[in-house]
Amino acid sequence: MAAGSARWHNALKLALQREEGKKNVLQLATTDVESATPYVRCHVLRDHIIHPSFPSLPLLLTTTDIRTPKVTQIKSNPNHRVEAHFWIRATNEQFRVSGRMAIYPSPDFKETKGIEGVGEVYDAFRSQGWNWEDVRRKQFDNVGALMRATWCRPVPGSPMNSYSDAEKWPVEVAKPGEEGYDAKNYEEALGNFALLLIDPVEVDYVELGVMPNRRTKFIKQESGDERWKEVILVP
């Protein structure tokens, strides 16, 4: 059981707090295993999920449309490995977080199943009756009406005849109790909304805001009091 928060995670949270403009933006990289082609796109870090028994082993939460190609790419990888990249301009720090991905879609979405989280942190949550569906619904209601509308469209990446086709799509999807609430649009968007959880196993942390520059690799340890081995690298 870890004694405290991971040093890399403390540094990431502090850097994100100091960032200006768009905060919590990361680049998420996946690989199409069949073609060995990498893909990357921007995501928003929605939350840090931390079990009190394992404060040094955070899960990084972001979200997606369950119909996107990235889901197939993640599921095709035997270890469900991804990498999240953060560049914090305010502090001149870079974080590359490599880890295993879990996916929690709507339990009613039949076309694509999720990926159940494995390991001691997920086991600890399960032992307490943690319900990821409750988290999914809360995260969905936390985003704005404009963002919710993005999950009420045709399959992302599918062909369109014209840009004007988009004029037929909802611009906003209000949640219950808000003006303009439409149950059909709300349920459709909610049904396509999924949680993505990264369970970090390696973190490459570069500090360019100090002289001389520093670079440290953090490697997750399966047991012991110190859950992260630190290796100093050439920047």
Side-chain angles (χ1 to χ4, degrees):
M1 188 176 297
S5 302
R7 187 168 78 85
W8 69 263
H9 190 226
N10 286 335
L12 175 61
K13 290 189 293 183
L14 181 60
L16 289 171
Q17 290 172 7
R18 295 180 61 186
E19 184 69 311
E20 299 176 355
K22 292 287 186 180
K23 296 178 180 288
N24 300 327
V25 175
L26 62 96
Q27 291 73 47
L28 181 66
T30 58
T31 303
D32 184 314
V33 174
E34 291 187 4
S35 65
T37 303
Y39 293 89
V40 67
R41 73 288 290 167
C42 287
H43 268 248
V44 174
L45 178 64
R46 302 288 181 190
D47 204 355
H48 308 256
I49 306 295
I50 301 173
H51 193 280
S53 296
F54 299 97
S56 66
L57 303 178
L59 303 174
L60 304 184
L61 172 65
T62 184
T63 56
T64 193
D65 188 316
I66 190 61
R67 303 168 296 168
T68 58
K70 77 169 76 71
V71 172
T72 302
Q73 293 157 15
I74 295 167
K75 295 180 71 173
S76 69
N77 187 312
N79 296 316
H80 306 140
R81 287 289 289 268
V82 300
E83 184 163 283
H85 171 265
F86 297 85
W87 168 250
I88 312 300
R89 183 177 179 181
T91 60
N92 284 333
E93 291 176 303
Q94 174 180 266
F95 299 81
R96 289 167 48 206
V97 183
S98 176
R100 294 181 292 266
M101 182 73 85
I103 304 177
Y104 290 94
S106 166
D108 299 324
F109 194 88
K110 306 302 182 184
E111 289 81 356
T112 302
K113 294 184 178 180
I115 300 172
E116 189 72 24
V118 297
E120 58 195 331
V121 175
Y122 289 101
D123 290 343
F125 278 119
R126 275 190 285 268
S127 70
Q128 295 182 339
W130 186 270
N131 189 338
W132 290 108
E133 175 61 10
D134 290 343
V135 178
R136 190 183 74 90
R137 287 177 172 270
K138 180 179 178 180
Q139 287 292 330
F140 183 73
D141 283 343
N142 281 346
V143 302
L146 289 170
M147 189 66 197
R148 280 194 293 270
T150 65
W151 295 296
C152 196
R153 299 174 178 173
V155 176
S158 58
M160 297 169 55
N161 292 323
S162 170
Y163 293 121
S164 62
D165 290 351
E167 297 173 3
K168 306 171 186 176
W169 306 337
V171 175
E172 296 185 355
V173 171
K175 62 184 177 182
E178 290 182 340
E179 184 179 354
Y181 170 68
D182 182 296
K184 179 179 179 297
N185 287 342
Y186 178 85
E187 291 299 328
E188 179 181 346
L190 176 61
N192 292 327
F193 179 77
L195 301 179
L196 300 179
L197 287 138
I198 303 172
D199 182 5
V201 297
E202 285 189 4
V203 179
D204 192 319
Y205 171 39
V206 180
E207 301 170 78
L208 299 179
V210 297
M211 294 298 292
N213 301 153
R214 298 176 182 176
R215 182 178 180 185
T216 312
K217 176 176 281 191
F218 296 79
I219 305 170
K220 183 180 178 181
Q221 306 299 292
E222 292 304 317
S223 61
D225 293 334
E226 296 296 331
R227 299 306 302 269
W228 293 95
K229 177 182 178 182
E230 296 190 25
V231 181
I232 299 174
L233 304 177
V234 178

